[in-house]
Amino acid sequence: MIDSGSVKQMAGHPFDRRDFLKVLGWSGAAVALSGCGNTSVEDGRETVVSYVEANDYMVPGVGVYFNSTCAQCDAGCSINGRVREGRVLKLEGNPDSAINKGRLCGLGQAGVQHHYNPDRVREPLLRNGNKGEAISWEKAYALIAEKLAGVSGEEIAFLSGGVSGHLKVLLGNYLDSLGTKNHFVYEAIAPSVVRAANLKAFGVEMPRYRFDKAQVVLSFGADFLGSWVSPVHFSQQYAQFRKGVNGQRGVLIQVESKMTLTGANADRWLAVKPGTEGVLALGIINALGMATGEVAELVKGYDKARVSRETGVSTGQIDKIAALLKLRSPSLVLAGNAAEGYAHGSQNAAAINLLNQVLGNVGKTIEAPVSVPFPQMVPSKGNTVALKNMNDGLAAGKYKVVFNFAANPVFTAPGAFKFKDNFAKAGFKVAFAHYLDETALQADLVLPLDSALEDWGTQVPEYMTEGAQINIQQPLMERLHANTRGMGDILLGLIKQKKADEYKGFEDYYAYLRGAVLQNKGALGGGGVEDDTFWNDTLTQGIVKLAGTTTSLAAHASAAGLVLPAAAEADEHFPLHLIPGVTASLRDGRHTNQPWLQESPDPLTTIVWDSWVEIHPKKAAELGIVEGDIVQVTSKTGSVKAQVYLFPGIHPEAISIPVGRGHDAMGRYAKGYGVNPFQIMDAVFEAATGELAMHETRVKISKTGQRVLVVKDEGSAGALQMGRKIAGRVSTDQVDLSKEV
Amino acid sequence: MKDIREDIAWAKINQDVMKSLENPRKLYWVILFLALAAFGFGVGCEIYQYRTGMGVENVNNPQVWGLYIATFIFWIGMSHSGTLLSAILHLMHADWRKPIYRFAEAMTTFSLMTAGLFVMVHIGRLWQFYYSLPYPNDRGIWPNFQSPLLWDAMAIFTYLSSSVLFLFVGMIPDLAIARDNMQPGWRQKLYTLLALGWEGTDRQWRNFRVTYLTIACFLIPLAVSVHSIVASDFAMSQQPGWHVTSFPPYFVAGALYSGCAAIITLFIILRYVFRFETYMTLPILKKIVRLTFAIAMVWTYLNAVEFAAVWYSHDEASKAVLIQKMTGTYAPFWWGMIFCGSVVPLVFAFKRFQTNIPVLFAVSLLLNLGMWLERWMIVAPTFSHGYYPWTWDHEQWPSLVAWGMVFASFGWFTLLFMIFCKVFPSVSMYEVKEMVYHRTLHLKKSENAEQGAH
Amino acid sequence: MSKRHLLALYGNFEEAEAVVQELRNATIKGFDVNDDMIVKSPIEHPEVERFLGDKPVYVQWFTLVGALLGGILGFSLISGAQANFYMQLKGGKPIVPFPPNFVLTYEMFILGGVFITILGFLICAGLPAKRSPLYSTKVSVDNIAILVEADESAISELKAIFTKHKALEIQEEAGK
Amino acid sequence: MYRFLRFPILLVGLFLAASSFAANSSQPALTTEDSLGPQVQQPIEFPHNRHAGLKDASDPAKGGMEINCQYCHTYARRSAVAGIPPLQKCIGCHQNIESVRNKPRIVELFKYWDAKKAVPWKKVHDLPDFVRFNHERHIKRFVEQQDRPVQEACGYCHGDVKEMTVARRQKSLAMGWCASCHEKDHPVVAEGGTPIAGQAYWYSFQKPAAAVDANTKARGPNDCWQCHK
Amino acid sequence: MSVSNLLENWAQVRHEHPNNDKPHDPYKWAMAIDLDACTGCNACSIACYAENNIPVVGKERFQHGQQMHWMRVERYWDEDGREFPDQGFQFLPMMCQQCEAAPCETVCPVAATNHTADGLNSQIYNRCIGSRYCSANCPFKVRYFNWYDYPTDEMVWPAEMQQQMNPDVSVRSKGVMEKCTFCVQRLSAAKVKAKGEGRIVAEGEVQTACQQACPTSAISFGNLVNPDSRVHKQWAAQQVELDKDKQAKNEEEEASELRGYRILEELRAYPSVMYLERVRESAV
């Protein structure tokens, strides 16, 4: 640990701690903003702000660390916030967490910029024409009560992102009290199809993957190092996988049409024709020759020649992969976004799971997951079916009152949904928001939320590792803006409108949370411990570790019903596949207004602050396009204009535009930067699950004649080292890894 | 044709030069106004830059130096020919220098002042400039004497102060003349003060001769050292394209070259503006032109040597920079430099152009442009194409502020120079008298010899 | 015995030389040709020095001293400053590195030389000087002037010599 | 004949004297002398002399109470920043001292306490923000390890605070002033003779003699990053 | 008296480094970065922004090349003209290499950048006058200049964002050069603590922000003279020596099977960061 002497975990009573969290000694720019101002000693100019009351661990100039949970994505990494003089300065990983073990990705670290963002909503806002008018909380609550009066449960819809823990419980209770079942849990980017396929093949939605045990990882478009499921955890396992055992370094093969961060780290990156991942999986099963029975029967047709023709992967390469998979065991085969994003995504995923089973990986590198023994706290997994259903309801004008929390559907819904127009049809729209994002701007009432670093909460990660855990989220400093509220507090306030008696014991969400945790003290491993002690320990650790319940794992992937369509014919009018790129730092765009993330170059293209259209140089040459050309990308649904970046890591038949940018709201750091590919996304659905098939949009591109300088970190030499040894590389037959420490 | 007519009356010399102090042609005022306008623009740019930050120069993190440093070297270089004319030719007893060395010497002084200005303009924290001065202070720290920039500062300070003193000492007899001939007023008071009571006594002349010679002797190695130290700013560094052994002589040659070209330009301007046709004669101009031609060829040779050395060596990074100069973004400027620096001076090889004033004026401006481009081509390409390919940047282009400042420096220089020429005699009266006197003696001697032969 | 100044202007150097020769040869009481005669000339004129005879010039000694001092003190100032309490390694070079210090020593050598030479010049040439009692602005045009300082008794004799050689103008200091 | 030479000789003398002064003053112009800062107007005129001053044997009501500096300034030994004691600290004693309870300054103090507002003290020893003086390290070195009296150790920089009412800067606190102490050879044995471990090691480059002699003396660090970062 | 100081310590002030002298005892901070583990995720870079008060310059200034990332993650692909970079990219985290014989140090006119006793290349913001010579002479171009006054820029640091600033690190105003410091504020705190306890900083006691964030532990950092440190072991195992400009292992006839190398070692700057080559599987 850094600074271990000054790392003092919170020890006192939580109410003391709230005192401590008061901002102290920060007077404008005076403390930090020094640098190079006055150059001589001054007397009596500045005021030194001191404590009124102080605890033992409250020492000015000494950083104190508090544990909490990262809320930037759903992976559930535990964080360790450095607090000084009442200000949270930096987020670091909590070493005690089995998920991130003291590490934290860039997205997670930018959490402080979510908290300190200058564009946060600070007051409850009520629509008045085109403007938001600041109102009091009492008025806001009253207004909601008024609007809900006499509205039946059927006419209420609550759209939210994935929620878990006590907030999920409370939200459920609130919706029950309203008598509605219309809770739409929506995540724009979620492995929903893979979950369904896994459930079919293994009996669980998300098994535990053991990269560290695998000798070969064959990933069909799963960007597990960048944005897939639990990247920080997977990255750590990846490091072990690369180190291997006895110098036998793990081999990563990535199959996808557009290179992801994981693909960029692969030993072999295979650019397949979009949508043919499943075909390749079957082809490999065929080449392995290990399958029997109906599987063998199924793959018989997938001989190398055909597979090579359909996928564009050479037969030699298929042989090599098959040989490697045979030689090095266990291996791990993954299906990710690229495989599931088609109308036949389930089939792709099933074929890939079949390969896993043929290789005998189930039980070795694919293990049974654990979960918390509180099913009501298990995360509700968001998907796009929910959005579709809600959109249908909105279009039909079914809803009188609509709530929106932790989702930005106006921004992330495919253009073909015309969600914005449909949303307008709802009677009264309430948005719980940190910023005035696109959806909040459409709402009639915006309720400002506390940032994740100000709020209380519990969070249960979907993807658990060793044992189960419940993560505690707690304030790292006092409210930055006096009039924001925690989501839990708001829900409690709302639920009290309905069930005042039941909840009158809970003064606030904190009390509710404390009560709920202490109620289950025994199950949480605190049997026989004093309430206060247990609670304080829990807060100190920031994690409640549990044995958890293990779901058993099956291996019944079967060939039954597995039909893979032939590679899609090129559409004459829209010849190119549009692949929405998901980047590690921007994800679905909810954090685009964090300047560190905007300025952190995209790892592959090194572009900052803008969107781009990735085109293979060959294709670009064909179309007469060079880097920086502004092109118009047109689909059946719509069109956007963006700069071109020539990128060899993409299939020539596809182009890619990253998602996350292109906001026309959300404050100074997000608004007006880049374009939003969701806008031109067609409404094509996955056949088996009804999920939105994100990769199925076909587009054409045309030059606009404009050209810009692409804003990127890469210099004029591009990705070349000009013969100088800058980034060294060596192939495995020339290196002896066993000599390393 | 003669360098100067022997039959000019000494009184007329006084009269002509004194007239230049009072009554120049109208063009003088036009030039002064333009110079002032240009300088004023630069002042505006500097205020903006000072307040906003160096970013307005549009330089960036690999390309941390831009036009300012290039122009700095240009002005330093310009200063060298003054010394060439006043000191080297003095030691060589080339008496044709006498009518023109004064303004050349002034050019040295003012171009050094302009160069000094660029040091200020370039620095990111001008308000902390005093950190770079070696003086005992309450922090107890000193500047870094290892830095070529500090050598630069010391060398320029030495050169500037020595040049000013040299200019002043050489001007004392003329100041006495001006004192004696000026109408009473502030100028006469100024001349009286500066002439230090000079009366031309034998003791004064005796010491004057030795002093002048001694300082001239000091100035020559000093001038060479100054520009080799400026060259060290680059040659001492590790960067490809800069770390070149031949840089010091190359810089000195370039300095003399640009200085000579500037002398031709100013010669032509002064000759017209101050009606100095009798003194700044075409034969003298012809001599300067020939000198310039010789230096141009030396410069061309050193250029070729540098390229050949880089080309022939195994230093791939330097080679890459050279190729980039020739073919990359900077190619037009680089080839422009070669054209202006090595091809244009070939005009001087033709006798009929050697005294053709319009041609010479145009050519001298082109040469100056070429030499400015040379400095830019030394600074910029290495930054854009250094050791580390990731940071290569071929897109950088100086901003309007940077160009404005460069433009303004010419205004500032012209302003100082023109004011000097109006306030102080820009032709050395006593030395022109000497020149006339010696040539008369010589003429008499040869006439006598001729008569004797009869 | 009171002394008076006398100034004679001549149009050319031959005449002036002749005057000086005559003054040198004549023995006039109250007038020493080496000490009491000053020749003023509009240009630096080697003949003047020749006919006045060799007079030593000391400026070069100032130069020598100045340059040496500049060099030595330059070096010790720089090295001393480098070896102060805050001394820190830079670029793997010694704290007191010779090549850079020699460059600076060289500059200081010249700086000292030039400055002290100028100082020497001012001292040796007696500048800045008060205007001598008799002066003609014609010296700054083209006349050569001979200024003598002599006892009252010698004045007329000197005047006679000047007139003999066709002095263009003779100025006489008023008697006291 | 050589009368002109008299002057150069004089000149040489002058120049030598001036330059050797200059050369030697490449040493900082150091002084440990007092450099009195301006009197700072504080919200409450805190009498340091009454708290930390020496006891007056004859009249206990007049002299000080000899309270250790660290009793109130507790943060100094625990943090780089000395901070200001929390108001709670003042009240902790003063709520039990009835005798002065009604003095105007104490009344003022309790007003802040009742309002739960921190007293807006003015910084007296306010170094530029890019200077990072570490109180903890200095107290450890001189008070805890070398066992110097607290008032003396604090007084190196803060002057004789026990004689003041409101603290007033007495030392220049300029960089050269800091260095004047750092470049001294400090003993590395405590008052009792116990050696202090690990004192001299990293200045071995700067003064190798000290490394050999690590048991007798050590200098303060000389590297810029000690205080500027 | 500094002249006497000069004479007394003549031998010391004439010592050269790093070949002739080993002044780094007991600390020499160094790094080893395993490019095979680095996934290019940028977590290190963002951690650096958070720890060191690095300004976010915005799109327009980024376009002008005025970005300030002390830690930049570079991306390369093989230069063999293949249609796809089918063996992946290579990522390279690049920050100040803390050279033992740093080219930047000698050229600073005001001695604002020096070599510290624990082997770092210090940058003293308040001394810097902004001549930018150091950056001009840096082969790695890892020095970043404050082209604008970012602390007063509403877009870069609005009042709310200023509260995030690390008070242990000076905020740089315009006209100052800055660069990676190996998180000197953390090193210094650790050293002060250790010194108070009469010991040296132990392995693992201090981490740089980038190292701490790195999800794959690709960055190791520590005290090179401490034989227990991971960095020391890595450097030793890779047979990379700090004070060599050509490593012995590369001089041998047989190709070395070790991955450790330093970038642009031939320039004799003696960087303190060792990189381990990216490995490419030859079987697929």
Side-chain angles (χ1 to χ4, degrees), chain B residues 80-96:
Chain B
H80 278 55
S81 51
T83 311
L84 172 78
L85 282 176
S86 58
I88 301 181
L89 295 183
H90 175 67
L91 290 185
M92 306 238 179
H93 297 287
D95 73 344
W96 55 267

PDB file of all heavy atoms in Angstrom, chain B residues 80-96:
ATOM      1  N   HIS B  80      27.059  39.447 -37.366  1.00  0.00           N
ATOM      2  CA  HIS B  80      28.466  39.119 -37.536  1.00  0.00           C
ATOM      3  C   HIS B  80      29.198  39.936 -38.577  1.00  0.00           C
ATOM      4  O   HIS B  80      30.397  40.136 -38.485  1.00  0.00           O
ATOM      5  CB  HIS B  80      28.621  37.634 -37.837  1.00  0.00           C
ATOM      6  CG  HIS B  80      28.584  36.828 -36.591  1.00  0.00           C
ATOM      7  ND1 HIS B  80      27.545  36.924 -35.709  1.00  0.00           N
ATOM      8  CD2 HIS B  80      29.466  35.966 -36.060  1.00  0.00           C
ATOM      9  CE1 HIS B  80      27.784  36.131 -34.690  1.00  0.00           C
ATOM     10  NE2 HIS B  80      28.939  35.543 -34.878  1.00  0.00           N
ATOM     11  N   SER B  81      28.502  40.410 -39.589  1.00  0.00           N
ATOM     12  CA  SER B  81      29.252  41.068 -40.648  1.00  0.00           C
ATOM     13  C   SER B  81      29.708  42.449 -40.221  1.00  0.00           C
ATOM     14  O   SER B  81      30.676  42.973 -40.743  1.00  0.00           O
ATOM     15  CB  SER B  81      28.398  41.155 -41.881  1.00  0.00           C
ATOM     16  OG  SER B  81      27.183  41.710 -41.511  1.00  0.00           O
ATOM     17  N   GLY B  82      29.004  43.033 -39.230  1.00  0.00           N
ATOM     18  CA  GLY B  82      29.484  44.301 -38.723  1.00  0.00           C
ATOM     19  C   GLY B  82      30.893  44.149 -38.211  1.00  0.00           C
ATOM     20  O   GLY B  82      31.794  44.940 -38.494  1.00  0.00           O
ATOM     21  N   THR B  83      31.100  43.079 -37.472  1.00  0.00           N
ATOM     22  CA  THR B  83      32.420  42.809 -36.942  1.00  0.00           C
ATOM     23  C   THR B  83      33.391  42.505 -38.069  1.00  0.00           C
ATOM     24  O   THR B  83      34.548  42.912 -38.031  1.00  0.00           O
ATOM     25  CB  THR B  83      32.347  41.620 -35.977  1.00  0.00           C
ATOM     26  OG1 THR B  83      31.274  41.860 -35.093  1.00  0.00           O
ATOM     27  CG2 THR B  83      33.619  41.463 -35.234  1.00  0.00           C
ATOM     28  N   LEU B  84      32.877  41.794 -39.058  1.00  0.00           N
ATOM     29  CA  LEU B  84      33.732  41.468 -40.190  1.00  0.00           C
ATOM     30  C   LEU B  84      34.280  42.755 -40.800  1.00  0.00           C
ATOM     31  O   LEU B  84      35.483  42.907 -41.004  1.00  0.00           O
ATOM     32  CB  LEU B  84      32.921  40.693 -41.234  1.00  0.00           C
ATOM     33  CG  LEU B  84      33.623  40.450 -42.559  1.00  0.00           C
ATOM     34  CD1 LEU B  84      34.618  39.326 -42.420  1.00  0.00           C
ATOM     35  CD2 LEU B  84      32.649  40.150 -43.669  1.00  0.00           C
ATOM     36  N   LEU B  85      33.370  43.705 -41.066  1.00  0.00           N
ATOM     37  CA  LEU B  85      33.799  44.940 -41.727  1.00  0.00           C
ATOM     38  C   LEU B  85      34.654  45.793 -40.819  1.00  0.00           C
ATOM     39  O   LEU B  85      35.652  46.346 -41.236  1.00  0.00           O
ATOM     40  CB  LEU B  85      32.564  45.731 -42.172  1.00  0.00           C
ATOM     41  CG  LEU B  85      31.900  45.205 -43.422  1.00  0.00           C
ATOM     42  CD1 LEU B  85      30.663  45.992 -43.713  1.00  0.00           C
ATOM     43  CD2 LEU B  85      32.857  45.297 -44.587  1.00  0.00           C
ATOM     44  N   SER B  86      34.222  45.907 -39.564  1.00  0.00           N
ATOM     45  CA  SER B  86      34.928  46.866 -38.726  1.00  0.00           C
ATOM     46  C   SER B  86      36.205  46.280 -38.164  1.00  0.00           C
ATOM     47  O   SER B  86      37.202  46.971 -38.076  1.00  0.00           O
ATOM     48  CB  SER B  86      34.016  47.356 -37.611  1.00  0.00           C
ATOM     49  OG  SER B  86      33.582  46.265 -36.870  1.00  0.00           O
ATOM     50  N   ALA B  87      36.188  45.032 -37.786  1.00  0.00           N
ATOM     51  CA  ALA B  87      37.369  44.490 -37.116  1.00  0.00           C
ATOM     52  C   ALA B  87      38.309  43.762 -38.075  1.00  0.00           C
ATOM     53  O   ALA B  87      39.485  44.108 -38.170  1.00  0.00           O
ATOM     54  CB  ALA B  87      36.934  43.561 -35.996  1.00  0.00           C
ATOM     55  N   ILE B  88      37.787  42.803 -38.785  1.00  0.00           N
ATOM     56  CA  ILE B  88      38.689  42.003 -39.631  1.00  0.00           C
ATOM     57  C   ILE B  88      39.298  42.882 -40.717  1.00  0.00           C
ATOM     58  O   ILE B  88      40.521  42.931 -40.896  1.00  0.00           O
ATOM     59  CB  ILE B  88      37.939  40.808 -40.252  1.00  0.00           C
ATOM     60  CG1 ILE B  88      37.363  39.941 -39.134  1.00  0.00           C
ATOM     61  CG2 ILE B  88      38.870  40.002 -41.128  1.00  0.00           C
ATOM     62  CD1 ILE B  88      36.633  38.731 -39.596  1.00  0.00           C
ATOM     63  N   LEU B  89      38.460  43.624 -41.412  1.00  0.00           N
ATOM     64  CA  LEU B  89      38.988  44.443 -42.484  1.00  0.00           C
ATOM     65  C   LEU B  89      39.870  45.566 -41.946  1.00  0.00           C
ATOM     66  O   LEU B  89      40.785  46.024 -42.615  1.00  0.00           O
ATOM     67  CB  LEU B  89      37.838  44.994 -43.336  1.00  0.00           C
ATOM     68  CG  LEU B  89      37.052  43.920 -44.082  1.00  0.00           C
ATOM     69  CD1 LEU B  89      35.996  44.544 -44.962  1.00  0.00           C
ATOM     70  CD2 LEU B  89      37.961  43.033 -44.919  1.00  0.00           C
ATOM     71  N   HIS B  90      39.603  45.951 -40.709  1.00  0.00           N
ATOM     72  CA  HIS B  90      40.475  46.956 -40.106  1.00  0.00           C
ATOM     73  C   HIS B  90      41.878  46.400 -39.933  1.00  0.00           C
ATOM     74  O   HIS B  90      42.871  47.056 -40.249  1.00  0.00           O
ATOM     75  CB  HIS B  90      39.898  47.373 -38.750  1.00  0.00           C
ATOM     76  CG  HIS B  90      40.767  48.316 -37.984  1.00  0.00           C
ATOM     77  ND1 HIS B  90      41.004  49.596 -38.422  1.00  0.00           N
ATOM     78  CD2 HIS B  90      41.470  48.169 -36.836  1.00  0.00           C
ATOM     79  CE1 HIS B  90      41.812  50.193 -37.556  1.00  0.00           C
ATOM     80  NE2 HIS B  90      42.107  49.354 -36.588  1.00  0.00           N
ATOM     81  N   LEU B  91      41.936  45.179 -39.433  1.00  0.00           N
ATOM     82  CA  LEU B  91      43.240  44.557 -39.240  1.00  0.00           C
ATOM     83  C   LEU B  91      43.941  44.355 -40.577  1.00  0.00           C
ATOM     84  O   LEU B  91      45.161  44.325 -40.656  1.00  0.00           O
ATOM     85  CB  LEU B  91      43.090  43.213 -38.521  1.00  0.00           C
ATOM     86  CG  LEU B  91      42.676  43.281 -37.056  1.00  0.00           C
ATOM     87  CD1 LEU B  91      42.686  41.900 -36.461  1.00  0.00           C
ATOM     88  CD2 LEU B  91      43.606  44.193 -36.284  1.00  0.00           C
ATOM     89  N   MET B  92      43.156  44.170 -41.617  1.00  0.00           N
ATOM     90  CA  MET B  92      43.747  43.904 -42.928  1.00  0.00           C
ATOM     91  C   MET B  92      44.099  45.199 -43.659  1.00  0.00           C
ATOM     92  O   MET B  92      44.522  45.151 -44.794  1.00  0.00           O
ATOM     93  CB  MET B  92      42.730  43.158 -43.783  1.00  0.00           C
ATOM     94  CG  MET B  92      42.215  41.923 -43.109  1.00  0.00           C
ATOM     95  SD  MET B  92      42.551  40.566 -44.143  1.00  0.00           S
ATOM     96  CE  MET B  92      41.923  39.246 -43.192  1.00  0.00           C
ATOM     97  N   HIS B  93      43.791  46.336 -43.014  1.00  0.00           N
ATOM     98  CA  HIS B  93      44.044  47.629 -43.630  1.00  0.00           C
ATOM     99  C   HIS B  93      43.312  47.782 -44.943  1.00  0.00           C
ATOM    100  O   HIS B  93      43.847  48.340 -45.905  1.00  0.00           O
ATOM    101  CB  HIS B  93      45.549  47.863 -43.825  1.00  0.00           C
ATOM    102  CG  HIS B  93      46.269  47.913 -42.528  1.00  0.00           C
ATOM    103  ND1 HIS B  93      46.181  48.973 -41.657  1.00  0.00           N
ATOM    104  CD2 HIS B  93      47.085  47.010 -41.928  1.00  0.00           C
ATOM    105  CE1 HIS B  93      46.903  48.726 -40.591  1.00  0.00           C
ATOM    106  NE2 HIS B  93      47.452  47.538 -40.712  1.00  0.00           N
ATOM    107  N   ALA B  94      42.126  47.242 -45.009  1.00  0.00           N
ATOM    108  CA  ALA B  94      41.327  47.440 -46.220  1.00  0.00           C
ATOM    109  C   ALA B  94      40.565  48.737 -46.021  1.00  0.00           C
ATOM    110  O   ALA B  94      39.558  48.776 -45.323  1.00  0.00           O
ATOM    111  CB  ALA B  94      40.375  46.283 -46.423  1.00  0.00           C
ATOM    112  N   ASP B  95      41.069  49.805 -46.610  1.00  0.00           N
ATOM    113  CA  ASP B  95      40.502  51.089 -46.220  1.00  0.00           C
ATOM    114  C   ASP B  95      39.154  51.374 -46.879  1.00  0.00           C
ATOM    115  O   ASP B  95      38.472  52.315 -46.500  1.00  0.00           O
ATOM    116  CB  ASP B  95      41.492  52.235 -46.465  1.00  0.00           C
ATOM    117  CG  ASP B  95      41.637  52.549 -47.931  1.00  0.00           C
ATOM    118  OD1 ASP B  95      41.226  51.710 -48.761  1.00  0.00           O
ATOM    119  OD2 ASP B  95      42.171  53.634 -48.243  1.00  0.00           O
ATOM    120  N   TRP B  96      38.739  50.562 -47.812  1.00  0.00           N
ATOM    121  CA  TRP B  96      37.422  50.816 -48.405  1.00  0.00           C
ATOM    122  C   TRP B  96      36.295  50.534 -47.427  1.00  0.00           C
ATOM    123  O   TRP B  96      35.146  50.885 -47.657  1.00  0.00           O
ATOM    124  CB  TRP B  96      37.213  50.010 -49.690  1.00  0.00           C
ATOM    125  CG  TRP B  96      37.407  48.504 -49.525  1.00  0.00           C
ATOM    126  CD1 TRP B  96      38.540  47.805 -49.730  1.00  0.00           C
ATOM    127  CD2 TRP B  96      36.409  47.559 -49.139  1.00  0.00           C
ATOM    128  NE1 TRP B  96      38.348  46.481 -49.483  1.00  0.00           N
ATOM    129  CE2 TRP B  96      37.035  46.301 -49.118  1.00  0.00           C
ATOM    130  CE3 TRP B  96      35.059  47.653 -48.799  1.00  0.00           C
ATOM    131  CZ2 TRP B  96      36.358  45.146 -48.776  1.00  0.00           C
ATOM    132  CZ3 TRP B  96      34.404  46.497 -48.461  1.00  0.00           C
ATOM    133  CH2 TRP B  96      35.045  45.257 -48.453  1.00  0.00           C
TER     134      TRP B  96
END
